[in-house]
Amino acid sequence: MSINSRSNTATSSNTRLLPDEVVRRRRRQYFEQSIVSWLLRVTAVISVLTTIGIVVILVVESVGFFSQVSVWEFVTGREWTPLFKPQKFGALPLIGGTLLVAVIAGLVSLTLGLGAAIFLSEYAPEGVRKVLKPVLEILAGIPTVVYGYFALTFITPMLQGIIGSDRVIIFNALSAGIVMGLMIMPMVSTLSEDAMIAVPRSLRDAAYALGATRFEVSTKVVIPAALSGIVASFILALSRAIGETMIVKIAAGATPNLTLNPLESIQAMTAYIVQISLGETAHGSIEYQTIFAVGLLLFVMTLAMNILGRVIISRFRQVYE
Amino acid sequence: MSINSAQGPRGKSKRFDLIRTWRDRIFFIGFLLAILIGVAGLAALLIDVLVDGLGFLNWKFLTNYASRKPLESGILAPMAGTVWVVGLTAIFTVPVGIGTAIYLEEFAKKNRLTRLVELNISNLAGVPSVIYGLLGLAVFVQFLFNGSRNLTAGALTMTLLILPIVIIASQEAIKAVPSSYRDAAYAMGATRWQVVKTVVMPQAVPGMMSGIILALSRAVGESAPILIISSLVWVTFVPTSPDSKFTVLPLQIFTWVSQPQEDFRSIAAAGIIVLLLILLGMNAVAIWIRNKYQVRSE
């Protein structure tokens, strides 16, 4: 205390000696702060500019395309042959290919991810949970090119072994979908588990007190209460699957093919964008413009799903706060 | 259970209870199986890669350039490219990412505009990486560098891609600093910037570092945007300046996977092992930093 008061008197005596100096220093501090504040504001603007940039680029570069091909033809046409004559620009085969893989990935990730989430939140003892959860999350950190390799060199031969190599083409939607499901599984399980853990303990206790089994508590109490969170996790994971590039490029093929048969080769929207980028397509040609048109469609689809997912999550949070 | 027995004859309720018990057990196994299949998938992936690639992993592989002959192929050029891209990306990302986080957490008023900026950032985190590639192709390659597919264009694209992750992680780190620290500094007459500089930052830097390293590891593994930017498949030189052409490790792996010959697949697997080791190292460093300096707010 005595030391403090002594130093206080020292400062105040300073103040008394040099009031100008203190005022000047204070001014300098506020000047410095206003400059820093502006610099920080500039950095924050960059993320806004990124969004504007994405929208402007996608729209501007595809305007030329849509002046030659109507939007209606683009989203409803059943043939996609931009690289050879006669050129047809119906994106349905690409959309269909993307959705086929995404639906398979969705089925895999929902089954595995929801099962894993229920196990982690309702059944697993803390020790088991602490080990399994991080192991599962490694799946989300593995580069997608590695998943592509895994699909092509492991899952596809396995499928050929099970179903028959005459029926499974080397590049097929099923293999890519399964591997992608594995990749997005931790996303489904983590977000679903968060939603389940947020369900108040009292609801579970009430059900247990009535003699319910753990399965009944999980399926009749916890899942209905956490449903919006689970649905949101699923939508966000699907959006991730739709935007995923390398797995479909490596394992699903490059044949725009409007089919529901997962054993056939398809081409996803992202894989098309990459295929054109790898080739020698002249800047400004209609082939060059197609990748921006496809990109715009992809952007709109994923953005809609992300917004939907987040709206559902925020609704769900309001219920419990 | 008394409710059940009141509803019907004793035997029927007993059988019903037995069914319920067994259903519980079967589904317990089902849920356990779901998570184990995930773990088994991970194990299969790692074993697949190790079995295929381990035999090809040697000193020559690390120091050779890519070649038409699989056995003479190496990863020197993509390794150097990856180091360049990650280094430049870090230089661009760190000031912008941390700056934005500080602005949003410490300076911006909590109004609708700020919320909009934050919403925008979380939306950007969900944009497919291939879209960032298109953005980089149009803005950096075509517009800024006149068609030159150089390292800086690649790094700038990666910067935009990982910026949302860096901002969100840095915001978390800033939020973890107890507000009592700030209040104490304000009470002594510190300006907002002094509080940030001398109180918040020293506490938040470790959290930010681990977030940034994790984001950079995402950039190391990302191939789609670089594929669009670089488009170059066989690079047989080490980039010497930020305006060189380049390739990166995942892109080289992709090139090898796309070759029909079996040996190239094995070379790809060897490349994957190196890539996974790099990612493992980066993640380990991030976790180590987090554990060592974790802010414990009470």
Short mmCIF file of all heavy atoms in Angstrom, two decimals, chain A residues 26 29 32-33 36 40-41 43 47-48 51 57 119 123 143 149-150 153 211 215-216 245-246 250 274 277-278 295 302 306 310, chain B residues 20 23-24 27-28 32 45 48 52 99-100 103 120 123-124 126 131 138 189 191-194 197 223 227 231 257 265 269 279:
data_model
loop_
_atom_site.label_atom_id
_atom_site.label_comp_id
_atom_site.label_asym_id
_atom_site.label_seq_id
_atom_site.Cartn_x
_atom_site.Cartn_y
_atom_site.Cartn_z
N ARG A 26 -1.55 12.19 -24.14
CA ARG A 26 -2.92 11.68 -24.24
C ARG A 26 -3.44 11.88 -25.68
O ARG A 26 -4.07 11.00 -26.25
CB ARG A 26 -3.78 12.45 -23.24
CG ARG A 26 -5.07 11.76 -22.87
CD ARG A 26 -4.81 10.54 -22.05
NE ARG A 26 -6.06 9.83 -21.77
CZ ARG A 26 -6.13 8.53 -21.57
NH1 ARG A 26 -5.05 7.78 -21.65
NH2 ARG A 26 -7.27 7.95 -21.32
N GLN A 29 -1.95 9.41 -27.94
CA GLN A 29 -2.56 8.09 -27.78
C GLN A 29 -3.88 8.00 -28.54
O GLN A 29 -4.17 7.01 -29.20
CB GLN A 29 -2.80 7.80 -26.30
CG GLN A 29 -1.54 7.38 -25.57
CD GLN A 29 -1.69 7.50 -24.07
OE1 GLN A 29 -2.73 7.90 -23.56
NE2 GLN A 29 -0.64 7.14 -23.36
N GLU A 32 -3.18 7.91 -32.29
CA GLU A 32 -2.73 6.56 -32.65
C GLU A 32 -3.93 5.63 -32.74
O GLU A 32 -4.08 4.86 -33.67
CB GLU A 32 -1.74 6.06 -31.59
CG GLU A 32 -1.02 4.78 -31.95
CD GLU A 32 -0.13 4.31 -30.79
OE1 GLU A 32 0.52 5.17 -30.15
OE2 GLU A 32 -0.12 3.10 -30.51
N GLN A 33 -4.82 5.74 -31.75
CA GLN A 33 -5.98 4.87 -31.72
C GLN A 33 -6.87 5.09 -32.93
O GLN A 33 -7.39 4.14 -33.51
CB GLN A 33 -6.77 5.11 -30.43
CG GLN A 33 -8.18 4.57 -30.54
CD GLN A 33 -8.79 4.34 -29.20
OE1 GLN A 33 -8.17 3.76 -28.32
NE2 GLN A 33 -10.01 4.80 -29.03
N VAL A 36 -5.28 3.42 -35.92
CA VAL A 36 -5.40 1.96 -35.81
C VAL A 36 -6.83 1.53 -36.09
O VAL A 36 -7.09 0.58 -36.84
CB VAL A 36 -4.98 1.49 -34.40
CG1 VAL A 36 -5.39 0.05 -34.18
CG2 VAL A 36 -3.48 1.65 -34.24
N LEU A 40 -7.93 -1.11 -38.91
CA LEU A 40 -8.67 -2.34 -38.61
C LEU A 40 -9.96 -2.39 -39.42
O LEU A 40 -10.36 -3.44 -39.90
CB LEU A 40 -8.98 -2.41 -37.11
CG LEU A 40 -7.78 -2.57 -36.19
CD1 LEU A 40 -8.22 -2.54 -34.74
CD2 LEU A 40 -7.04 -3.86 -36.49
N ARG A 41 -10.59 -1.22 -39.57
CA ARG A 41 -11.83 -1.19 -40.34
C ARG A 41 -11.55 -1.63 -41.78
O ARG A 41 -12.33 -2.37 -42.37
CB ARG A 41 -12.40 0.23 -40.30
CG ARG A 41 -13.87 0.28 -40.57
CD ARG A 41 -14.44 1.61 -40.14
NE ARG A 41 -14.27 1.87 -38.71
CZ ARG A 41 -14.70 2.97 -38.11
NH1 ARG A 41 -15.31 3.90 -38.81
NH2 ARG A 41 -14.53 3.13 -36.82
N THR A 43 -9.26 -3.71 -42.81
CA THR A 43 -9.11 -5.16 -42.87
C THR A 43 -10.47 -5.85 -42.81
O THR A 43 -10.70 -6.83 -43.49
CB THR A 43 -8.23 -5.70 -41.72
OG1 THR A 43 -8.85 -5.41 -40.48
CG2 THR A 43 -6.84 -5.12 -41.76
N SER A 47 -13.31 -8.84 -46.02
CA SER A 47 -14.20 -10.00 -46.09
C SER A 47 -15.51 -9.64 -46.80
O SER A 47 -16.10 -10.47 -47.49
CB SER A 47 -14.47 -10.56 -44.69
OG SER A 47 -15.28 -9.68 -43.97
N VAL A 48 -15.95 -8.39 -46.61
CA VAL A 48 -17.16 -7.97 -47.32
C VAL A 48 -16.87 -7.89 -48.82
O VAL A 48 -17.67 -8.35 -49.64
CB VAL A 48 -17.63 -6.59 -46.80
CG1 VAL A 48 -18.86 -6.13 -47.55
CG2 VAL A 48 -17.92 -6.67 -45.30
N THR A 51 -17.05 -11.29 -50.59
CA THR A 51 -18.39 -11.71 -50.98
C THR A 51 -18.86 -10.97 -52.23
O THR A 51 -19.34 -11.58 -53.19
CB THR A 51 -19.39 -11.44 -49.84
OG1 THR A 51 -18.89 -12.02 -48.66
CG2 THR A 51 -20.75 -12.01 -50.16
N ILE A 57 -18.06 -11.37 -59.88
CA ILE A 57 -17.32 -12.17 -60.85
C ILE A 57 -18.21 -13.23 -61.48
O ILE A 57 -18.25 -13.39 -62.72
CB ILE A 57 -16.10 -12.84 -60.17
CG1 ILE A 57 -15.05 -11.82 -59.80
CG2 ILE A 57 -15.50 -13.92 -61.07
CD1 ILE A 57 -14.48 -11.08 -60.95
N PHE A 119 -24.68 -42.55 -29.97
CA PHE A 119 -23.78 -43.34 -29.12
C PHE A 119 -22.97 -42.42 -28.20
O PHE A 119 -22.87 -42.67 -27.00
CB PHE A 119 -22.84 -44.19 -29.98
CG PHE A 119 -21.91 -45.04 -29.16
CD1 PHE A 119 -22.36 -46.23 -28.60
CD2 PHE A 119 -20.61 -44.64 -28.93
CE1 PHE A 119 -21.52 -47.00 -27.82
CE2 PHE A 119 -19.76 -45.41 -28.16
CZ PHE A 119 -20.22 -46.60 -27.60
N TYR A 123 -24.98 -43.02 -24.85
CA TYR A 123 -24.51 -44.33 -24.37
C TYR A 123 -23.09 -44.30 -23.81
O TYR A 123 -22.80 -44.93 -22.81
CB TYR A 123 -24.55 -45.35 -25.51
CG TYR A 123 -25.94 -45.83 -25.88
CD1 TYR A 123 -26.75 -45.09 -26.72
CD2 TYR A 123 -26.44 -47.03 -25.38
CE1 TYR A 123 -28.02 -45.53 -27.06
CE2 TYR A 123 -27.70 -47.48 -25.72
CZ TYR A 123 -28.49 -46.72 -26.56
OH TYR A 123 -29.72 -47.16 -26.90
N PRO A 143 -7.17 -34.29 -46.25
CA PRO A 143 -7.39 -33.57 -47.52
C PRO A 143 -8.27 -34.37 -48.47
O PRO A 143 -8.21 -35.60 -48.50
CB PRO A 143 -5.97 -33.43 -48.08
CG PRO A 143 -5.07 -33.56 -46.93
CD PRO A 143 -5.74 -34.47 -45.97
N TYR A 149 -8.24 -40.52 -53.69
CA TYR A 149 -7.34 -41.67 -53.86
C TYR A 149 -7.93 -42.91 -53.22
O TYR A 149 -7.93 -44.00 -53.80
CB TYR A 149 -5.98 -41.33 -53.24
CG TYR A 149 -5.00 -42.48 -53.26
CD1 TYR A 149 -4.19 -42.70 -54.36
CD2 TYR A 149 -4.91 -43.35 -52.18
CE1 TYR A 149 -3.32 -43.77 -54.39
CE2 TYR A 149 -4.04 -44.41 -52.19
CZ TYR A 149 -3.24 -44.62 -53.30
OH TYR A 149 -2.38 -45.67 -53.32
N PHE A 150 -8.45 -42.74 -52.00
CA PHE A 150 -9.04 -43.85 -51.25
C PHE A 150 -10.24 -44.44 -52.01
O PHE A 150 -10.37 -45.67 -52.12
CB PHE A 150 -9.47 -43.34 -49.87
CG PHE A 150 -10.07 -44.38 -48.98
CD1 PHE A 150 -9.38 -45.55 -48.68
CD2 PHE A 150 -11.31 -44.18 -48.40
CE1 PHE A 150 -9.92 -46.50 -47.82
CE2 PHE A 150 -11.85 -45.13 -47.55
CZ PHE A 150 -11.16 -46.30 -47.26
N THR A 153 -8.79 -46.31 -55.21
CA THR A 153 -7.92 -47.48 -55.05
C THR A 153 -8.42 -48.48 -54.02
O THR A 153 -7.89 -49.56 -53.92
CB THR A 153 -6.49 -47.06 -54.63
OG1 THR A 153 -6.56 -46.45 -53.35
CG2 THR A 153 -5.88 -46.11 -55.63
N GLY A 211 -39.51 -45.65 -16.63
CA GLY A 211 -39.07 -46.99 -16.97
C GLY A 211 -38.65 -47.15 -18.42
O GLY A 211 -38.55 -48.26 -18.92
N PHE A 215 -32.70 -46.73 -25.43
CA PHE A 215 -33.10 -46.59 -26.83
C PHE A 215 -34.36 -45.74 -26.93
O PHE A 215 -34.48 -44.87 -27.79
CB PHE A 215 -33.34 -47.97 -27.44
CG PHE A 215 -33.92 -47.92 -28.82
CD1 PHE A 215 -33.15 -47.48 -29.89
CD2 PHE A 215 -35.23 -48.30 -29.05
CE1 PHE A 215 -33.69 -47.42 -31.17
CE2 PHE A 215 -35.77 -48.24 -30.32
CZ PHE A 215 -35.00 -47.80 -31.38
N GLU A 216 -35.32 -46.01 -26.00
CA GLU A 216 -36.57 -45.24 -26.03
C GLU A 216 -36.33 -43.78 -25.67
O GLU A 216 -36.91 -42.87 -26.28
CB GLU A 216 -37.59 -45.87 -25.08
CG GLU A 216 -38.17 -47.15 -25.65
CD GLU A 216 -38.74 -48.06 -24.58
OE1 GLU A 216 -38.58 -47.78 -23.38
OE2 GLU A 216 -39.36 -49.06 -24.96
N THR A 245 -14.98 -31.04 -54.41
CA THR A 245 -14.47 -31.13 -55.78
C THR A 245 -13.61 -32.37 -56.06
O THR A 245 -13.88 -33.12 -57.00
CB THR A 245 -13.61 -29.89 -56.09
OG1 THR A 245 -14.35 -28.74 -55.74
CG2 THR A 245 -13.26 -29.85 -57.56
N MET A 246 -12.56 -32.56 -55.27
CA MET A 246 -11.53 -33.51 -55.66
C MET A 246 -12.03 -34.96 -55.68
O MET A 246 -11.64 -35.75 -56.53
CB MET A 246 -10.29 -33.39 -54.76
CG MET A 246 -9.62 -32.04 -54.82
SD MET A 246 -9.45 -31.35 -56.47
CE MET A 246 -8.11 -32.34 -57.10
N ILE A 250 -11.77 -37.16 -59.03
CA ILE A 250 -10.90 -38.33 -59.13
C ILE A 250 -11.70 -39.62 -59.33
O ILE A 250 -11.35 -40.45 -60.15
CB ILE A 250 -10.01 -38.45 -57.87
CG1 ILE A 250 -9.01 -37.30 -57.83
CG2 ILE A 250 -9.27 -39.79 -57.85
CD1 ILE A 250 -8.21 -37.22 -56.55
N VAL A 274 -13.35 -27.94 -62.81
CA VAL A 274 -11.94 -28.29 -62.73
C VAL A 274 -11.43 -28.83 -64.07
O VAL A 274 -10.34 -28.49 -64.52
CB VAL A 274 -11.72 -29.31 -61.59
CG1 VAL A 274 -10.37 -29.97 -61.73
CG2 VAL A 274 -11.82 -28.62 -60.25
N SER A 277 -10.79 -26.00 -66.34
CA SER A 277 -9.63 -25.21 -65.89
C SER A 277 -8.32 -25.89 -66.25
O SER A 277 -7.31 -25.23 -66.47
CB SER A 277 -9.69 -25.00 -64.38
OG SER A 277 -10.95 -24.56 -64.00
N LEU A 278 -8.33 -27.22 -66.28
CA LEU A 278 -7.10 -27.94 -66.60
C LEU A 278 -6.78 -27.88 -68.09
O LEU A 278 -5.63 -28.00 -68.48
CB LEU A 278 -7.23 -29.41 -66.18
CG LEU A 278 -6.98 -29.71 -64.71
CD1 LEU A 278 -7.22 -31.17 -64.43
CD2 LEU A 278 -5.56 -29.33 -64.32
N GLY A 295 -20.46 -22.32 -61.85
CA GLY A 295 -20.05 -21.84 -60.53
C GLY A 295 -21.14 -21.02 -59.86
O GLY A 295 -21.39 -21.15 -58.66
N THR A 302 -25.40 -23.86 -52.73
CA THR A 302 -24.79 -24.03 -51.41
C THR A 302 -25.17 -22.90 -50.46
O THR A 302 -25.42 -23.13 -49.28
CB THR A 302 -23.25 -24.12 -51.51
OG1 THR A 302 -22.77 -22.99 -52.23
CG2 THR A 302 -22.80 -25.38 -52.19
N ASN A 306 -26.82 -23.36 -46.86
CA ASN A 306 -26.16 -22.87 -45.65
C ASN A 306 -27.07 -21.94 -44.86
O ASN A 306 -27.13 -22.01 -43.63
CB ASN A 306 -24.87 -22.14 -46.01
CG ASN A 306 -23.80 -23.09 -46.48
OD1 ASN A 306 -23.87 -24.29 -46.24
ND2 ASN A 306 -22.81 -22.56 -47.18
N ARG A 310 -28.53 -22.57 -41.13
CA ARG A 310 -28.30 -21.67 -40.00
C ARG A 310 -29.59 -21.15 -39.41
O ARG A 310 -29.71 -20.97 -38.20
CB ARG A 310 -27.38 -20.53 -40.41
CG ARG A 310 -26.64 -20.02 -39.20
CD ARG A 310 -25.41 -19.24 -39.46
NE ARG A 310 -25.33 -18.70 -40.77
CZ ARG A 310 -24.49 -19.12 -41.70
NH1 ARG A 310 -23.67 -20.07 -41.44
NH2 ARG A 310 -24.46 -18.61 -42.88
N ARG B 20 -38.45 -55.02 -25.48
CA ARG B 20 -37.87 -53.68 -25.30
C ARG B 20 -36.40 -53.77 -24.90
O ARG B 20 -35.56 -53.04 -25.39
CB ARG B 20 -38.65 -52.91 -24.24
CG ARG B 20 -40.04 -52.52 -24.70
CD ARG B 20 -40.82 -51.90 -23.57
NE ARG B 20 -40.13 -50.76 -22.99
CZ ARG B 20 -40.11 -50.49 -21.69
NH1 ARG B 20 -40.71 -51.28 -20.84
NH2 ARG B 20 -39.46 -49.44 -21.25
N ARG B 23 -34.45 -54.87 -27.91
CA ARG B 23 -34.37 -53.78 -28.88
C ARG B 23 -33.30 -52.78 -28.44
O ARG B 23 -32.51 -52.29 -29.23
CB ARG B 23 -35.73 -53.10 -29.01
CG ARG B 23 -35.84 -52.23 -30.23
CD ARG B 23 -37.25 -51.76 -30.43
NE ARG B 23 -37.76 -51.13 -29.22
CZ ARG B 23 -39.03 -50.77 -29.05
NH1 ARG B 23 -39.92 -51.00 -29.98
NH2 ARG B 23 -39.41 -50.19 -27.94
N ASP B 24 -33.29 -52.48 -27.14
CA ASP B 24 -32.30 -51.57 -26.60
C ASP B 24 -30.89 -52.08 -26.86
O ASP B 24 -30.02 -51.35 -27.31
CB ASP B 24 -32.55 -51.40 -25.09
CG ASP B 24 -31.68 -50.29 -24.51
OD1 ASP B 24 -31.67 -49.21 -25.10
OD2 ASP B 24 -31.04 -50.53 -23.48
N PHE B 27 -29.96 -51.99 -30.68
CA PHE B 27 -29.65 -50.66 -31.17
C PHE B 27 -28.38 -50.09 -30.56
O PHE B 27 -27.67 -49.33 -31.19
CB PHE B 27 -30.84 -49.71 -30.98
CG PHE B 27 -31.79 -49.77 -32.12
CD1 PHE B 27 -32.87 -50.65 -32.10
CD2 PHE B 27 -31.60 -49.00 -33.25
CE1 PHE B 27 -33.73 -50.74 -33.17
CE2 PHE B 27 -32.45 -49.07 -34.33
CZ PHE B 27 -33.53 -49.95 -34.29
N PHE B 28 -28.10 -50.51 -29.31
CA PHE B 28 -26.81 -50.12 -28.71
C PHE B 28 -25.68 -50.59 -29.62
O PHE B 28 -24.77 -49.82 -29.95
CB PHE B 28 -26.67 -50.72 -27.32
CG PHE B 28 -25.27 -50.67 -26.78
CD1 PHE B 28 -24.73 -49.47 -26.34
CD2 PHE B 28 -24.47 -51.81 -26.73
CE1 PHE B 28 -23.44 -49.41 -25.86
CE2 PHE B 28 -23.18 -51.76 -26.26
CZ PHE B 28 -22.65 -50.56 -25.82
N LEU B 32 -23.09 -48.26 -31.77
CA LEU B 32 -21.65 -48.49 -31.59
C LEU B 32 -21.01 -48.81 -32.94
O LEU B 32 -19.94 -48.30 -33.28
CB LEU B 32 -21.42 -49.63 -30.60
CG LEU B 32 -19.97 -50.01 -30.33
CD1 LEU B 32 -19.23 -48.86 -29.70
CD2 LEU B 32 -19.88 -51.23 -29.43
N LEU B 45 -8.35 -46.26 -44.73
CA LEU B 45 -7.73 -45.22 -45.56
C LEU B 45 -6.22 -45.15 -45.28
O LEU B 45 -5.40 -45.16 -46.20
CB LEU B 45 -8.40 -43.88 -45.27
CG LEU B 45 -8.02 -42.66 -46.11
CD1 LEU B 45 -9.21 -41.73 -46.22
CD2 LEU B 45 -6.86 -41.91 -45.54
N ASP B 48 -4.45 -48.36 -46.44
CA ASP B 48 -4.40 -48.36 -47.90
C ASP B 48 -3.24 -47.50 -48.40
O ASP B 48 -2.43 -47.93 -49.23
CB ASP B 48 -5.74 -47.80 -48.42
CG ASP B 48 -5.81 -47.76 -49.95
OD1 ASP B 48 -5.31 -48.72 -50.58
OD2 ASP B 48 -6.36 -46.79 -50.50
N ASP B 52 0.38 -48.96 -50.01
CA ASP B 52 0.73 -48.61 -51.39
C ASP B 52 1.99 -47.77 -51.47
O ASP B 52 2.78 -47.91 -52.41
CB ASP B 52 -0.41 -47.81 -52.05
CG ASP B 52 -1.64 -48.67 -52.28
OD1 ASP B 52 -1.54 -49.88 -52.03
OD2 ASP B 52 -2.68 -48.12 -52.70
N GLY B 99 -6.63 -8.46 -37.64
CA GLY B 99 -7.17 -7.10 -37.67
C GLY B 99 -8.69 -7.11 -37.67
O GLY B 99 -9.33 -6.40 -36.88
N THR B 100 -9.28 -7.94 -38.54
CA THR B 100 -10.73 -8.02 -38.61
C THR B 100 -11.31 -8.49 -37.28
O THR B 100 -12.30 -7.94 -36.78
CB THR B 100 -11.16 -8.99 -39.73
OG1 THR B 100 -10.53 -8.60 -40.94
CG2 THR B 100 -12.66 -8.99 -39.90
N TYR B 103 -11.10 -5.75 -34.74
CA TYR B 103 -12.10 -4.71 -35.04
C TYR B 103 -13.49 -5.16 -34.59
O TYR B 103 -14.20 -4.43 -33.90
CB TYR B 103 -12.11 -4.39 -36.54
CG TYR B 103 -13.16 -3.37 -36.89
CD1 TYR B 103 -12.99 -2.03 -36.54
CD2 TYR B 103 -14.35 -3.75 -37.50
CE1 TYR B 103 -13.96 -1.10 -36.80
CE2 TYR B 103 -15.33 -2.81 -37.77
CZ TYR B 103 -15.13 -1.49 -37.42
OH TYR B 103 -16.10 -0.56 -37.67
N ASN B 120 -21.83 -12.43 -42.82
CA ASN B 120 -21.12 -12.55 -44.09
C ASN B 120 -19.90 -13.45 -43.96
O ASN B 120 -19.65 -14.32 -44.80
CB ASN B 120 -20.72 -11.15 -44.56
CG ASN B 120 -19.80 -11.19 -45.75
OD1 ASN B 120 -20.11 -11.83 -46.74
ND2 ASN B 120 -18.67 -10.54 -45.63
N ASN B 123 -20.95 -17.00 -43.67
CA ASN B 123 -21.38 -17.48 -44.98
C ASN B 123 -20.19 -17.80 -45.87
O ASN B 123 -20.19 -18.80 -46.60
CB ASN B 123 -22.25 -16.44 -45.68
CG ASN B 123 -23.72 -16.72 -45.45
OD1 ASN B 123 -24.11 -17.87 -45.30
ND2 ASN B 123 -24.51 -15.68 -45.41
N LEU B 124 -19.16 -16.94 -45.82
CA LEU B 124 -17.96 -17.17 -46.64
C LEU B 124 -17.31 -18.49 -46.27
O LEU B 124 -16.76 -19.18 -47.13
CB LEU B 124 -16.96 -16.04 -46.44
CG LEU B 124 -17.20 -14.76 -47.23
CD1 LEU B 124 -16.15 -13.72 -46.86
CD2 LEU B 124 -17.15 -15.04 -48.72
N GLY B 126 -18.70 -21.11 -45.69
CA GLY B 126 -19.42 -22.23 -46.30
C GLY B 126 -19.37 -22.24 -47.82
O GLY B 126 -19.94 -23.12 -48.45
N ILE B 131 -15.18 -22.32 -55.83
CA ILE B 131 -15.66 -20.96 -56.15
C ILE B 131 -14.56 -19.94 -55.89
O ILE B 131 -14.38 -18.98 -56.65
CB ILE B 131 -16.91 -20.61 -55.30
CG1 ILE B 131 -18.02 -21.63 -55.51
CG2 ILE B 131 -17.39 -19.19 -55.59
CD1 ILE B 131 -18.87 -21.43 -56.71
N ALA B 138 -10.35 -15.06 -61.97
CA ALA B 138 -10.83 -13.85 -62.62
C ALA B 138 -10.17 -12.60 -62.07
O ALA B 138 -9.77 -11.71 -62.83
CB ALA B 138 -12.36 -13.75 -62.46
N GLY B 189 -7.32 4.26 -16.99
CA GLY B 189 -7.28 5.33 -17.98
C GLY B 189 -6.70 4.95 -19.32
O GLY B 189 -6.34 5.82 -20.11
N THR B 191 -6.49 3.83 -23.19
CA THR B 191 -7.37 3.97 -24.35
C THR B 191 -7.72 2.56 -24.84
O THR B 191 -7.08 1.58 -24.46
CB THR B 191 -6.69 4.72 -25.50
OG1 THR B 191 -5.58 3.94 -25.97
CG2 THR B 191 -6.19 6.09 -25.06
N ARG B 192 -8.72 2.50 -25.73
CA ARG B 192 -9.15 1.22 -26.27
C ARG B 192 -7.99 0.47 -26.92
O ARG B 192 -7.79 -0.73 -26.72
CB ARG B 192 -10.23 1.49 -27.31
CG ARG B 192 -11.12 0.35 -27.62
CD ARG B 192 -12.32 0.86 -28.39
NE ARG B 192 -13.35 1.37 -27.50
CZ ARG B 192 -14.38 0.62 -27.08
NH1 ARG B 192 -14.52 -0.61 -27.48
NH2 ARG B 192 -15.28 1.12 -26.27
N TRP B 193 -7.20 1.19 -27.71
CA TRP B 193 -6.09 0.57 -28.42
C TRP B 193 -5.03 0.09 -27.43
O TRP B 193 -4.43 -0.97 -27.60
CB TRP B 193 -5.51 1.54 -29.45
CG TRP B 193 -4.23 1.08 -30.11
CD1 TRP B 193 -3.05 1.75 -30.16
CD2 TRP B 193 -4.01 -0.14 -30.80
NE1 TRP B 193 -2.12 1.03 -30.83
CE2 TRP B 193 -2.67 -0.15 -31.24
CE3 TRP B 193 -4.82 -1.26 -31.09
CZ2 TRP B 193 -2.12 -1.21 -31.95
CZ3 TRP B 193 -4.27 -2.31 -31.80
CH2 TRP B 193 -2.94 -2.28 -32.22
N GLN B 194 -4.80 0.88 -26.37
CA GLN B 194 -3.83 0.44 -25.35
C GLN B 194 -4.30 -0.85 -24.69
O GLN B 194 -3.50 -1.74 -24.41
CB GLN B 194 -3.63 1.53 -24.30
CG GLN B 194 -2.72 2.65 -24.77
CD GLN B 194 -2.63 3.76 -23.75
OE1 GLN B 194 -3.63 4.19 -23.18
NE2 GLN B 194 -1.41 4.23 -23.51
N LYS B 197 -3.69 -3.60 -27.15
CA LYS B 197 -2.27 -3.85 -27.39
C LYS B 197 -1.61 -4.52 -26.18
O LYS B 197 -0.82 -5.44 -26.33
CB LYS B 197 -1.60 -2.50 -27.69
CG LYS B 197 -0.25 -2.59 -28.33
CD LYS B 197 0.18 -1.21 -28.86
CE LYS B 197 0.10 -0.15 -27.74
NZ LYS B 197 0.58 1.18 -28.20
N SER B 223 -6.75 -28.49 -52.72
CA SER B 223 -6.22 -28.54 -54.08
C SER B 223 -7.09 -27.87 -55.13
O SER B 223 -6.56 -27.34 -56.10
CB SER B 223 -5.94 -29.97 -54.48
OG SER B 223 -6.72 -30.87 -53.76
N LEU B 227 -5.67 -25.77 -58.23
CA LEU B 227 -5.76 -26.43 -59.53
C LEU B 227 -6.28 -25.45 -60.59
O LEU B 227 -5.80 -25.41 -61.72
CB LEU B 227 -6.70 -27.62 -59.39
CG LEU B 227 -6.67 -28.73 -60.42
CD1 LEU B 227 -7.21 -30.00 -59.80
CD2 LEU B 227 -7.49 -28.37 -61.62
N SER B 231 -3.18 -24.59 -62.74
CA SER B 231 -3.53 -25.33 -63.95
C SER B 231 -2.35 -26.10 -64.51
O SER B 231 -2.48 -26.92 -65.39
CB SER B 231 -4.13 -24.37 -64.99
OG SER B 231 -4.02 -24.89 -66.27
N VAL B 257 -2.47 -39.44 -59.31
CA VAL B 257 -3.64 -40.32 -59.20
C VAL B 257 -4.33 -40.45 -60.55
O VAL B 257 -4.85 -41.51 -60.89
CB VAL B 257 -4.63 -39.79 -58.13
CG1 VAL B 257 -5.91 -40.60 -58.14
CG2 VAL B 257 -4.00 -39.84 -56.75
N ARG B 265 0.17 -44.50 -59.20
CA ARG B 265 -0.72 -44.53 -58.02
C ARG B 265 0.09 -44.71 -56.75
O ARG B 265 -0.19 -44.08 -55.74
CB ARG B 265 -1.71 -45.71 -58.15
CG ARG B 265 -2.60 -45.65 -59.36
CD ARG B 265 -3.98 -45.16 -58.98
NE ARG B 265 -4.74 -44.75 -60.16
CZ ARG B 265 -5.55 -45.56 -60.83
NH1 ARG B 265 -5.74 -46.80 -60.42
NH2 ARG B 265 -6.19 -45.13 -61.89
N ALA B 269 0.55 -42.34 -53.52
CA ALA B 269 0.39 -42.76 -52.12
C ALA B 269 1.58 -42.29 -51.29
O ALA B 269 1.41 -41.84 -50.14
CB ALA B 269 0.25 -44.27 -52.03
N LEU B 279 0.61 -32.38 -42.29
CA LEU B 279 -0.61 -31.95 -41.61
C LEU B 279 -0.60 -32.38 -40.15
O LEU B 279 -0.98 -31.63 -39.25
CB LEU B 279 -1.84 -32.52 -42.31
CG LEU B 279 -2.08 -31.99 -43.71
CD1 LEU B 279 -3.30 -32.65 -44.32
CD2 LEU B 279 -2.27 -30.49 -43.67
#
